[in-house]
Amino acid sequence: MGNFEEVLEKAYQESYLPFIEVLQSHPQIKVSLHYSGVLYDWLEKTHPDLLERVAKMVVLGQIEPLTGAYYEPILPFIPDSDKIGQIESFSLRLQERFGRRPRGMWLAERVWEPDLPKPLAQAGIDYTFIDDIHFKAAGLREEELLGYYLTEEEGYLLKLFPISRKLRYLIPFAPKVQEVIDYLRSLATPSGERLIVLGDDGEKFGLWPETYEWVYQNGWLNDFFTALEENRDWIRMWSSEEWMRENESLGRVYLPTSAYQEMAEWALPAKSIPLYEELITRFKNGGELEWFEGFLRGGFHRNFLVKYPEANLMHKRMLRVSEKIARLSDEHGGLLMDEAKRLLYQAQCNCAYWHGIFGGLYLPHLRRAVYNRLIEAELITDELSHTKAHWLDKEIADFDRDGNPEILIDSPVINLYLAPHRGGSLFELDCRKRGLNLLDVLTRREEGYHREIPSLKEEETQLETKSIHERIKTKEENLEECLIFDRYHRASLIDHFLPPQTTLREFSQLEYEELGDFISEPYAHTMNREGNSFSVVLVRTGKVKIQGVDLPLLLKKRLKLVEGEALVEIGYELLNLSSMPIEALFGFEFNLSPQIRGGEGPGESKDIDLLKMEDKESGLRVYFRLEQPGSLWQFPIFTVSQSEKGFERILQANNLFFHWHISFRPNELWKTNLTIEIANAYSF
Amino acid sequence: MGNFEEVLEKAYQESYLPFIEVLQSHPQIKVSLHYSGVLYDWLEKTHPDLLERVAKMVVLGQIEPLTGAYYEPILPFIPDSDKIGQIESFSLRLQERFGRRPRGMWLAERVWEPDLPKPLAQAGIDYTFIDDIHFKAAGLREEELLGYYLTEEEGYLLKLFPISRKLRYLIPFAPKVQEVIDYLRSLATPSGERLIVLGDDGEKFGLWPETYEWVYQNGWLNDFFTALEENRDWIRMWSSEEWMRENESLGRVYLPTSAYQEMAEWALPAKSIPLYEELITRFKNGGELEWFEGFLRGGFHRNFLVKYPEANLMHKRMLRVSEKIARLSDEHGGLLMDEAKRLLYQAQCNCAYWHGIFGGLYLPHLRRAVYNRLIEAELITDELSHTKAHWLDKEIADFDRDGNPEILIDSPVINLYLAPHRGGSLFELDCRKRGLNLLDVLTRREEGYHREIPSLKEEETQLETKSIHERIKTKEENLEECLIFDRYHRASLIDHFLPPQTTLREFSQLEYEELGDFISEPYAHTMNREGNSFSVVLVRTGKVKIQGVDLPLLLKKRLKLVEGEALVEIGYELLNLSSMPIEALFGFEFNLSPQIRGGEGPGESKDIDLLKMEDKESGLRVYFRLEQPGSLWQFPIFTVSQSEKGFERILQANNLFFHWHISFRPNELWKTNLTIEIANAYSF
């Protein structure tokens, strides 16, 4: 969800289309096929001929369509009601096209938790496919995985086919097709009661680096299918349902929480990754990995939400919208609610909620798509809940589930989310009618793989095997310079006190001294409604270190919203509570979504009282107006992350630091005001 | 649940009472105290003075009572509605006694799954305690576990306190109390922001072998509490709620499915246990276990239900009763339904559903208690569902969730459960009015620990440390002779064809040749209702091997029940479909619950037409009447299992093998009839 049109088209041309073409020329080869709902919708719009082709192959029994949760959520990340809604809506879609409702599903990212059988069975699912490593984690051995198993939750039954990792690595990467055939031969028995399952990404066939040439131009896939046909006296291709009709299960089993091994590793805290890698390497080098791998388990997939607080904020935002929809569903049905659900389901697409070998959370356009759908879905529910055109709602709740309350202000124009306990900062500012969160940024964090960068050459480093998990190349020059890691969450309205001589370079490179304690520390908060406006006051009595002495200072910031206006008025008051003069650079920091640019661009501006920023894609403009002219430092925040192509630098935020050189005596008060106005906030 | 009165009384005298006495003499020592509901009920009945004493200590703030699921179920084993019902009913109970509803709970066996926060929060739970190993499995390190964490499911929040394994091993086993103090000293900081939590079984203090002498007579516990008091300038005792009031959480976390390390090991298939033990030993010997243990994970606790099919049958029986109660709860409230729920909750008590260092599933009196509560609870629901006094119900459903249908026949007097696909066998026969399953037996299986037995001496083998997990001694002589492992599930109505010269010894020692294929193979089934009676016919055309040749044979068995009667009529017909004569011992096997004894006792009886068996405890009698006098082999089935005291032999079933020497020509039919009558079936 949110992927670029050209990426989808390239995948279609180099993978989805040629795969089906080769498959169609081998009518004896059977596959179970799953298109994610995102891709399915796109194909329906862009290449409906491919779906018609598939439909014919379904009729001929060559393709068994699989359903799934519509927009590929990681199922344990979303509420049970949404799990069921996502699966049922996609099954219905496939039933319309293929004439029957699929009973098997593809589990996004093969992320498993043992309570899944209940909602899956409730959504009409009979079977799915899971990595062999999940079974090994339950103590089963490779040779016990040649068939399918039964599991249950509260008595709800589900059939599980183990996916062979050996096949996932051999196909299509074995230098010779015969190697795959030889491996199959090693498993075959005269009675033929053994089943081996390959389940993998279609993109491996053409879209992954160099695979187009390998799989199609050099004919690997055609050769492989031919070899399977030539050996049909002992290799039989089955659809899942044929196999289950003719074969009993291998038994019952319960699988622990599990994802494929690589994902489990990525879910570990960065500092634990080297230790886990050492463990795996040790067993691999000792030739014992196969024996012990079921016991050598990495992290837990849900911890992407801990490792990346931005993923958590997006996730809890999603839960908030899901709750609003669930609350309304009982009273309101109809098309508007259907649309709200569709948008919510789209926003649950897994990619932006985690990060591994693919960009995921690091890709701003994926996050933007998630916020866009969430904000639009929520607007539908809020408009159904309110009869007046103008309103302001507030909620104080532990939004991000960190044990502390956040302040959530909703209006039909703007949403403002504040974290009093984290420096009284602003972490979400939505322009609702445009479906845009202006503060959708990413903080820079150390990743397990960053330690590899300094030792890599800039040209491609080609490793022995072609598997994507073992290829890494640097993509850009001087990436090391971007390896700066933030000390705090890059939200907005973050209040700094710096030594007067601090430079933009020092500030942006994190080579400055923070004199205050107003960044991550708690602010007290009060709220007031006055007629058609609403104010939040955040207050902290903190300290500013001047010449080695901590001096007390009171900082009060006040945000005011007026019903129906796309405007936030912000007032700052600083009171020197000490008996000493305080001299410092004082300022507040904003981190705007990377697509929002403007002003003079990176650099320093003095004596400014107006800054214009613009989101080119939507045409939305943001005006910052300073009552008291000040200085502005503007600089980009880049992350370094890995993708299937190598390491890359990505713009994650545009940092604005409005500041003043202040010098005030004991008991002196310093004040300033700022307004943030969003223009074109209403037009779609 | 089901434990012997004298065991509870011993635990009270040697552990529960003296612990509170020592605690009361140290008013500065604070503990969070959890009694399981089973124990709580018993104390209330037997030693209410102890509870009054505890209540006073609660008022003084020395004891913080913890709630839990009432009858200590492993939470993921039971439906969400029962999780909530169990917790709420126990919390209410504690609220009545202690004046406030506890917000913290003890999690039975610390078995965790990541979806628990939702039902726990719905039941009013705010926090619980989890082993540190669970956190390490998420990639956290020992030094990050000195406080508490937050987790959530669908936004429902739960606070988790890590339990220190180091403290679990040091307390009360450290040779000198000072060792514990030294360890605490190594963690202390000037600012005192670190919390360390010990959470463990109360039975470690007095009931575990030799601990009564150690903990009380030698004064370990008193010395320990004294040492804590003497060091109160730097050690502060907190209740959980005090700590949470004054301290923020250490952050958010998600924990994978997990149990304590030992339990995870026991949940592995027996054949995988040596491999896992080797892995752990390797890291322990290398001194690296602390670093890597979070990654070195054993099996998944739910697989006790796979490892022990009897646990699965009990579990699915429990689910069936739970469903019946849930279905009725909407229409029927009131005291009868409350009683049905109470019985169901008692039947969910974890002990009988698994096996580790304690006897658990291997203890017949625990299984008996579970079946007793289930049968009684179900009788309440069935009587509410039926208006007539006499009725017969049938259901064909995949009761055990193995993918094949079972036949379940219910009446107010008798329940009969048949598995057509497993030799047309009978696996449950309940005398409902007495709450007794006559076929509650255990099949003999190889356990991971059995390999240790031959090398053990008969006298006690004292290991270095006193931890229960490292002590094993043989308890009885000649245990090796009992290490026989069954080839099939020890159900009843199992049909055997044996060579005519087979002896009882050979049969009981599994040293015989099975000529037929009627043991684990599928039977076809039909069912008929005729007026007030009901018949099930099970048919299989199988093979009997005579002089090396497989000869076809048709076996038909018919079970008939009449409404209101405690009687099962069974008819057997064998038809020789081959062109050769068949001569063999033919017979059918029953395995009765170990408490049901009678007849001549172990040995051979010839020409019998009546066998009387009796359940001494209830006075219930069972009569087997043979139309055609036959021979009977009777022998006991013993298992060898480990308990906290060592290895022990336990009677699990009384095997009855009724048989005839048959010799019949091609197309000849051989028939016989049997009735099973239960006397005293009605009196309570």
Side-chain angles (χ1 to χ4, degrees):
Chain A
M1 184 53 57
N3 213 335
F4 299 120
E5 191 72 15
E6 62 267 26
V7 172
L8 286 165
E9 183 61 30
K10 183 169 188 285
Y12 173 77
Q13 295 297 344
E14 296 186 0
S15 172
Y16 310 139
L17 176 63
F19 186 91
I20 293 295
E21 284 174 341
V22 175
L23 183 66
Q24 209 168 13
S25 68
H26 293 272
Q28 295 173 32
I29 305 301
K30 289 182 183 166
V31 305
S32 299
L33 188 71
H34 172 251
Y35 291 132
S36 74
V38 182
L39 177 57
Y40 182 89
D41 288 356
W42 181 84
L43 286 172
E44 198 151 67
K45 198 181 63 192
T46 321
H47 299 288
D49 44 321
L50 185 73
L51 294 178
E52 280 163 36
R53 213 156 156 168
V54 168
K56 281 180 194 140
M57 293 162 83
V58 169
V59 171
L60 293 173
Q62 193 182 3
I63 289 180
E64 176 182 65
L66 296 177
T67 186
Y70 207 127
Y71 294 103
E72 291 292 285
I74 290 180
L75 282 178
F77 281 21
I78 68 172
D80 278 357
S81 55
D82 294 339
K83 292 181 184 102
I84 296 169
Q86 287 244 21
I87 296 169
E88 286 189 333
S89 57
F90 195 47
S91 295
L92 189 65
R93 206 65 193 276
L94 297 179
Q95 186 174 6
E96 283 163 10
R97 179 165 291 272
F98 299 123
R100 55 182 283 266
R101 185 184 169 118
R103 304 271 295 160
M105 82 177 279
W106 183 251
L107 203 59
E109 301 296 328
R110 290 104 72 193
V111 168
W112 175 258
E113 297 197 7
D115 57 317
L116 284 178
K118 185 177 174 186
L120 263 50
Q122 287 174 330
I125 298 301
D126 185 39
Y127 62 96
T128 190
F129 305 85
I130 303 260
D131 291 89
D132 48 11
I133 190 80
H134 297 54
F135 292 82
K136 289 177 186 174
L140 292 172
R141 297 189 186 160
E142 183 107 16
E143 63 271 21
E144 294 172 306
L145 303 181
L146 301 164
Y148 68 96
Y149 280 85
L150 298 172
T151 193
E152 60 85 28
E153 157 74 0
E154 294 198 11
Y156 291 89
L157 210 64
L158 185 69
K159 297 179 184 122
L160 301 174
F161 286 91
I163 296 170
S164 161
R165 187 164 62 174
K166 282 212 180 115
L167 283 192
R168 284 212 297 128
Y169 277 72
L170 283 171
I171 299 172
F173 301 113
K176 292 200 158 73
V177 156
Q178 188 59 36
E179 279 181 43
V180 191
I181 304 297
D182 290 346
Y183 177 58
L184 296 177
R185 174 57 97 188
S186 76
L187 300 173
T189 58
S191 52
E193 79 282 7
R194 287 175 158 191
L195 173 76
I196 188 157
V197 176
L198 167 70
D200 214 333
D201 299 342
E203 292 79 8
K204 270 174 77 172
F205 300 88
L207 193 65
W208 283 17
E210 286 153 58
T211 55
Y212 183 73
E213 184 190 353
W214 177 253
V215 170
Y216 303 113
Q217 293 179 332
N218 297 355
W220 196 97
L221 189 63
N222 187 61
D223 294 349
F224 176 54
F225 286 167
T226 304
L228 289 175
E229 286 167 336
E230 283 170 355
N231 289 282
R232 65 174 172 267
D233 52 324
W234 63 275
I235 301 177
R236 183 166 161 196
M237 304 287 288
W238 299 78
S239 78
S240 323
E241 303 198 2
E242 281 170 349
W243 181 266
M244 290 186 295
R245 242 187 333 265
E246 296 191 27
N247 296 277
E248 291 258 317
S249 79
L250 297 179
R252 294 180 302 108
V253 76
Y254 295 92
L255 303 181
T257 47
S258 186
Y260 52 95
Q261 195 174 354
E262 296 85 358
M263 190 181 193
E265 178 179 330
W266 299 324
L268 283 170
K271 67 180 184 323
S272 296
I273 288 181
L275 202 66
Y276 183 66
E277 283 181 355
E278 191 198 316
L279 181 73
I280 295 294
T281 305
R282 212 186 269 189
F283 281 84
K284 200 177 264 175
N285 293 346
E288 295 181 314
L289 190 59
E290 264 185 56
W291 281 95
F292 290 102
E293 64 183 348
F295 303 136
L296 307 177
R297 313 241 285 281
F300 178 35
H301 43 261
R302 291 201 193 198
N303 283 314
F304 286 117
L305 303 181
V306 174
K307 190 170 179 177
Y308 303 108
E310 293 85 355
N312 185 55
L313 290 177
M314 214 153 54
H315 180 254
K316 299 308 178 293
R317 190 76 177 91
M318 177 276 285
L319 287 184
R320 186 165 196 241
V321 175
S322 176
E323 278 162 28
K324 287 189 177 186
I325 290 178
R327 254 199 313 266
L328 278 179
S329 288
D330 295 335
E331 316 160 30
H332 297 271
L335 289 177
L336 270 176
M337 282 306 292
D338 287 350
E339 176 63 6
K341 278 185 191 166
R342 196 183 61 84
L343 290 164
L344 169 68
Y345 294 167
Q346 290 181 343
Q348 291 172 335
C349 181
N350 76 81
C351 307
Y353 292 90
W354 64 287
H355 171 61
I357 189 94
F358 303 102
L361 174 74
Y362 275 88
L363 301 178
H365 59 287
L366 299 189
R367 298 199 306 268
R368 183 177 171 120
V370 168
Y371 275 108
N372 173 261
R373 304 305 187 280
L374 289 176
I375 294 167
E376 290 188 356
E378 191 185 42
L379 192 59
I380 295 175
T381 65
D382 283 356
E383 289 186 341
L384 285 172
S385 313
H386 288 87
T387 47
K388 292 201 311 182
H390 295 310
W391 47 265
L392 277 169
D393 261 359
K394 69 152 199 314
E395 190 185 345
I396 299 178
D398 182 6
F399 170 81
D400 59 4
R401 272 66 168 184
D402 70 344
N404 292 300
E406 281 79 36
I407 300 173
L408 316 173
I409 301 170
D410 294 339
S411 85
V413 192
I414 279 179
N415 287 340
L416 267 185
Y417 287 9
L418 293 153
H421 58 289
R422 268 201 308 275
S425 61
L426 179 66
F427 63 93
E428 184 165 337
L429 170 54
D430 300 331
C431 175
R432 298 191 68 170
K433 304 276 185 186
R434 308 299 292 255
L436 198 68
N437 171 11
L438 309 184
L439 307 183
D440 167 20
V441 302
L442 197 65
T443 299
R444 294 168 296 187
R445 294 186 185 84
E446 187 159 16
E447 292 283 359
Y449 50 76
H450 281 152
R451 69 194 191 285
E452 301 167 23
I453 293 179
S455 63
L456 278 176
K457 302 205 182 92
E458 267 143 34
E459 68 269 34
E460 181 179 330
T461 311
Q462 181 79 49
L463 298 181
E464 274 173 41
T465 90
K466 284 168 180 273
S467 159
I468 203 168
H469 299 299
E470 303 182 46
R471 305 168 46 112
I472 284 291
K473 46 185 175 177
T474 62
K475 201 183 160 193
E476 298 173 44
E477 288 181 32
N478 302 326
L479 274 182
E480 291 91 326
E481 291 173 13
C482 292
L483 292 178
I484 298 173
F485 308 118
D486 290 316
R487 299 178 209 149
Y488 55 88
H489 183 67
R490 285 279 178 189
S492 288
L493 280 189
I494 297 177
D495 307 316
H496 293 276
F497 292 87
L498 310 178
Q501 68 282 10
T502 309
T503 65
L504 162 57
R505 203 199 149 277
E506 288 166 345
F507 187 64
S508 64
Q509 297 288 305
L510 303 194
E511 290 165 1
Y512 66 95
E513 187 193 358
E514 183 69 55
L515 303 178
D517 63 353
F518 296 83
I519 308 296
S520 312
E521 289 77 4
Y523 279 63
H525 59 89
T526 53
M527 288 194 282
N528 272 307
R529 174 178 280 281
E530 288 164 18
N532 66 343
S533 79
F534 197 78
S535 303
V536 181
V537 178
L538 295 151
V539 182
R540 173 174 174 79
T541 303
K543 284 173 280 190
V544 181
K545 183 173 288 201
I546 302 294
Q547 293 171 339
V549 184
D550 282 332
L551 304 179
L553 182 139
L554 185 140
L555 195 159
K556 182 161 141 184
K557 47 189 174 184
R558 181 167 173 276
L559 289 91
K560 185 178 167 194
L561 267 96
V562 180
E563 266 183 15
E565 290 186 12
L567 189 78
V568 188
E569 295 172 30
I570 302 171
Y572 265 89
E573 290 181 29
L574 276 59
L575 179 63
N576 182 350
L577 296 178
S578 79
S579 53
M580 309 272 286
I582 292 179
E583 188 185 351
L585 287 191
F586 165 73
F588 37 80
E589 170 185 355
F590 280 86
N591 286 285
L592 299 185
S593 299
Q595 303 92 346
I596 303 175
R597 305 183 192 194
E600 305 284 310
E604 178 159 5
S605 319
K606 302 222 173 202
D607 271 329
I608 67 155
D609 56 5
L610 174 66
L611 174 70
K612 295 184 203 172
M613 301 292 284
E614 184 172 5
D615 179 68
K616 278 259 163 61
E617 195 184 316
S618 66
L620 178 139
R621 283 197 292 279
V622 189
Y623 298 96
F624 291 83
R625 286 199 179 80
L626 300 175
E627 186 195 54
Q628 174 179 345
S631 298
L632 170 67
W633 289 340
Q634 215 178 328
F635 62 91
I637 304 268
F638 285 105
T639 56
V640 176
S641 60
Q642 70 179 5
S643 78
E644 68 278 26
K645 296 189 221 88
F647 291 111
E648 57 194 10
R649 178 196 332 244
I650 299 178
L651 179 66
Q652 298 293 357
N654 287 308
N655 185 296
L656 309 176
F657 182 56
F658 298 101
H659 59 280
W660 294 263
H661 187 138
I662 61 169
S663 169
F664 60 154
R665 295 181 306 276
N667 293 317
E668 189 176 337
L669 187 75
W670 183 91
K671 301 165 66 161
T672 197
N673 289 313
L674 159 80
T675 59
I676 304 173
E677 189 190 343
I678 302 172
N680 304 332
Y682 290 92
S683 48
F684 269 85
Chain B
M1 184 53 59
N3 213 335
F4 299 119
E5 191 72 15
E6 61 267 28
V7 172
L8 287 165
E9 183 60 32
K10 183 171 190 285
Y12 173 78
Q13 296 297 345
E14 297 185 1
S15 172
Y16 310 139
L17 176 62
F19 186 91
I20 293 294
E21 285 172 341
V22 176
L23 183 66
Q24 209 167 15
S25 69
H26 294 271
Q28 294 173 36
I29 305 300
K30 288 181 183 168
V31 303
S32 298
L33 187 72
H34 172 251
Y35 292 131
S36 74
V38 182
L39 177 58
Y40 182 90
D41 287 356
W42 181 85
L43 287 172
E44 198 152 67
K45 197 180 65 192
T46 320
H47 299 287
D49 44 321
L50 185 72
L51 294 178
E52 279 163 36
R53 209 157 161 168
V54 168
K56 280 180 196 140
M57 293 162 83
V58 169
V59 171
L60 294 172
Q62 193 182 3
I63 289 180
E64 175 182 65
L66 295 178
T67 185
Y70 206 127
Y71 293 102
E72 291 293 285
I74 289 180
L75 282 177
F77 281 20
I78 68 171
D80 278 358
S81 54
D82 294 340
K83 292 181 183 105
I84 296 169
Q86 287 244 21
I87 297 169
E88 286 190 333
S89 56
F90 196 46
S91 295
L92 189 66
R93 205 66 192 276
L94 297 179
Q95 186 173 5
E96 284 163 10
R97 180 165 289 272
F98 300 122
R100 57 182 283 265
R101 186 184 170 116
R103 305 271 295 161
M105 81 176 279
W106 182 250
L107 203 59
E109 301 297 327
R110 291 103 72 193
V111 168
W112 175 258
E113 297 197 7
D115 57 317
L116 285 178
K118 185 177 174 185
L120 263 51
Q122 287 173 330
I125 299 301
D126 184 38
Y127 62 95
T128 190
F129 305 84
I130 303 258
D131 290 89
D132 49 11
I133 189 81
H134 296 55
F135 292 82
K136 290 178 184 172
L140 292 171
R141 297 189 186 159
E142 184 107 15
E143 64 270 22
E144 294 172 307
L145 303 181
L146 300 165
Y148 67 97
Y149 280 85
L150 298 172
T151 193
E152 60 86 27
E153 158 74 0
E154 294 198 10
Y156 291 90
L157 210 64
L158 185 70
K159 298 180 185 120
L160 301 174
F161 286 90
I163 296 170
S164 160
R165 187 163 62 175
K166 280 212 181 116
L167 283 193
R168 283 213 297 129
Y169 278 72
L170 283 172
I171 299 171
F173 301 113
K176 292 201 158 75
V177 156
Q178 188 59 35
E179 280 181 42
V180 191
I181 304 297
D182 290 346
Y183 177 59
L184 296 177
R185 175 56 98 187
S186 75
L187 301 173
T189 58
S191 53
E193 79 281 9
R194 289 175 159 190
L195 174 76
I196 188 157
V197 176
L198 166 70
D200 213 333
D201 299 342
E203 293 79 9
K204 271 173 78 173
F205 300 89
L207 194 64
W208 283 18
E210 289 154 54
T211 55
Y212 183 72
E213 185 190 353
W214 178 253
V215 170
Y216 302 113
Q217 293 179 331
N218 296 357
W220 197 99
L221 190 61
N222 187 61
D223 294 348
F224 176 55
F225 286 166
T226 304
L228 289 175
E229 286 167 336
E230 284 169 354
N231 289 281
R232 65 174 171 267
D233 52 325
W234 62 275
I235 300 177
R236 181 164 161 197
M237 303 288 289
W238 298 78
S239 78
S240 323
E241 304 200 1
E242 281 169 349
W243 181 266
M244 290 186 295
R245 239 185 338 260
E246 296 191 27
N247 296 276
E248 291 259 315
S249 79
L250 297 179
R252 294 179 303 110
V253 76
Y254 295 93
L255 303 181
T257 48
S258 186
Y260 52 93
Q261 194 174 354
E262 296 85 358
M263 190 182 194
E265 177 179 331
W266 299 325
L268 283 170
K271 67 179 184 322
S272 297
I273 288 180
L275 202 66
Y276 183 67
E277 283 181 354
E278 192 197 317
L279 181 73
I280 295 295
T281 305
R282 212 187 271 189
F283 280 84
K284 200 176 265 174
N285 292 346
E288 295 180 313
L289 190 59
E290 264 185 56
W291 281 96
F292 290 102
E293 64 183 347
F295 303 136
L296 307 177
R297 314 241 285 279
F300 178 36
H301 43 261
R302 291 200 192 200
N303 283 314
F304 286 117
L305 303 182
V306 174
K307 190 170 179 176
Y308 303 108
E310 293 85 354
N312 185 56
L313 290 176
M314 214 153 55
H315 180 254
K316 300 306 179 292
R317 189 76 177 89
M318 177 275 285
L319 286 185
R320 187 166 195 241
V321 176
S322 176
E323 278 161 29
K324 286 189 179 188
I325 289 178
R327 254 199 313 268
L328 279 180
S329 288
D330 295 335
E331 315 160 33
H332 297 270
L335 289 177
L336 269 177
M337 283 307 291
D338 287 351
E339 175 64 6
K341 278 185 192 166
R342 196 183 61 85
L343 290 164
L344 169 68
Y345 295 166
Q346 290 181 343
Q348 291 171 335
C349 180
N350 76 83
C351 307
Y353 291 90
W354 64 286
H355 171 61
I357 190 97
F358 303 102
L361 174 74
Y362 275 89
L363 301 178
H365 59 288
L366 298 190
R367 299 198 305 269
R368 182 176 170 122
V370 168
Y371 274 108
N372 172 262
R373 303 305 188 281
L374 289 177
I375 293 167
E376 290 188 356
E378 191 185 41
L379 192 60
I380 294 174
T381 66
D382 283 357
E383 289 186 342
L384 285 172
S385 314
H386 289 88
T387 47
K388 292 203 312 183
H390 295 310
W391 47 266
L392 277 168
D393 262 358
K394 69 152 198 317
E395 189 184 346
I396 299 178
D398 181 6
F399 170 81
D400 59 3
R401 272 65 169 185
D402 71 344
N404 292 300
E406 281 78 36
I407 299 173
L408 315 174
I409 301 169
D410 293 340
S411 84
V413 192
I414 280 180
N415 287 340
L416 265 185
Y417 287 9
L418 292 154
H421 59 288
R422 268 202 309 273
S425 61
L426 179 66
F427 64 92
E428 182 165 338
L429 171 55
D430 299 332
C431 175
R432 298 191 70 170
K433 303 276 185 185
R434 307 300 290 256
L436 197 67
N437 171 11
L438 309 183
L439 308 183
D440 167 19
V441 302
L442 197 65
T443 300
R444 295 169 295 187
R445 293 185 187 86
E446 188 159 15
E447 292 283 0
Y449 51 74
H450 281 152
R451 69 193 191 287
E452 302 166 23
I453 293 178
S455 63
L456 278 176
K457 301 208 181 91
E458 267 144 35
E459 68 270 36
E460 183 178 330
T461 311
Q462 181 78 51
L463 299 181
E464 274 174 41
T465 91
K466 283 168 181 274
S467 161
I468 201 167
H469 298 298
E470 303 181 48
R471 304 169 47 112
I472 283 294
K473 46 185 177 178
T474 63
K475 199 183 161 192
E476 298 173 43
E477 288 181 33
N478 303 325
L479 274 181
E480 292 91 324
E481 290 171 16
C482 291
L483 292 177
I484 298 173
F485 307 118
D486 291 316
R487 302 178 207 146
Y488 55 88
H489 184 67
R490 286 278 179 190
S492 288
L493 279 190
I494 297 177
D495 307 316
H496 292 277
F497 292 87
L498 311 177
Q501 68 282 9
T502 309
T503 65
L504 163 58
R505 205 199 148 275
E506 289 166 345
F507 186 65
S508 65
Q509 298 288 305
L510 303 195
E511 289 165 2
Y512 65 96
E513 186 192 0
E514 183 69 54
L515 302 178
D517 62 353
F518 296 83
I519 307 297
S520 310
E521 289 77 5
Y523 279 63
H525 60 90
T526 54
M527 289 194 282
N528 273 306
R529 174 178 279 282
E530 288 164 15
N532 66 342
S533 79
F534 196 78
S535 302
V536 181
V537 179
L538 295 151
V539 182
R540 173 174 172 80
T541 303
K543 285 173 282 193
V544 181
K545 184 174 288 201
I546 302 295
Q547 292 172 340
V549 184
D550 282 332
L551 303 179
L553 182 139
L554 185 139
L555 194 159
K556 182 162 140 183
K557 47 188 174 186
R558 181 167 174 276
L559 289 91
K560 186 179 165 191
L561 266 96
V562 179
E563 267 182 14
E565 291 186 11
L567 189 78
V568 188
E569 296 172 28
I570 302 171
Y572 265 89
E573 290 182 28
L574 277 57
L575 180 62
N576 181 352
L577 295 178
S578 79
S579 52
M580 309 272 286
I582 292 179
E583 188 185 350
L585 287 190
F586 165 74
F588 38 79
E589 171 184 356
F590 279 86
N591 286 286
L592 298 186
S593 299
Q595 302 91 347
I596 302 175
R597 307 184 191 193
E600 303 286 310
E604 179 159 6
S605 318
K606 302 222 174 202
D607 272 328
I608 68 154
D609 55 7
L610 174 66
L611 175 69
K612 295 185 204 171
M613 301 292 284
E614 184 173 5
D615 179 69
K616 278 258 163 64
E617 195 184 316
S618 65
L620 178 139
R621 284 196 292 277
V622 189
Y623 298 97
F624 291 84
R625 286 199 179 79
L626 300 174
E627 185 196 55
Q628 175 178 343
S631 298
L632 171 66
W633 289 340
Q634 214 178 331
F635 62 92
I637 304 268
F638 285 104
T639 55
V640 177
S641 59
Q642 71 179 6
S643 77
E644 68 278 26
K645 296 190 222 88
F647 292 111
E648 57 194 10
R649 179 195 333 243
I650 299 178
L651 180 66
Q652 298 293 357
N654 287 309
N655 186 297
L656 308 176
F657 182 55
F658 298 101
H659 58 279
W660 294 263
H661 186 139
I662 62 169
S663 169
F664 59 153
R665 294 183 304 277
N667 292 317
E668 190 176 336
L669 187 74
W670 183 91
K671 302 164 65 162
T672 197
N673 289 313
L674 161 79
T675 57
I676 305 174
E677 189 189 341
I678 303 173
N680 304 333
Y682 290 92
S683 47
F684 267 85

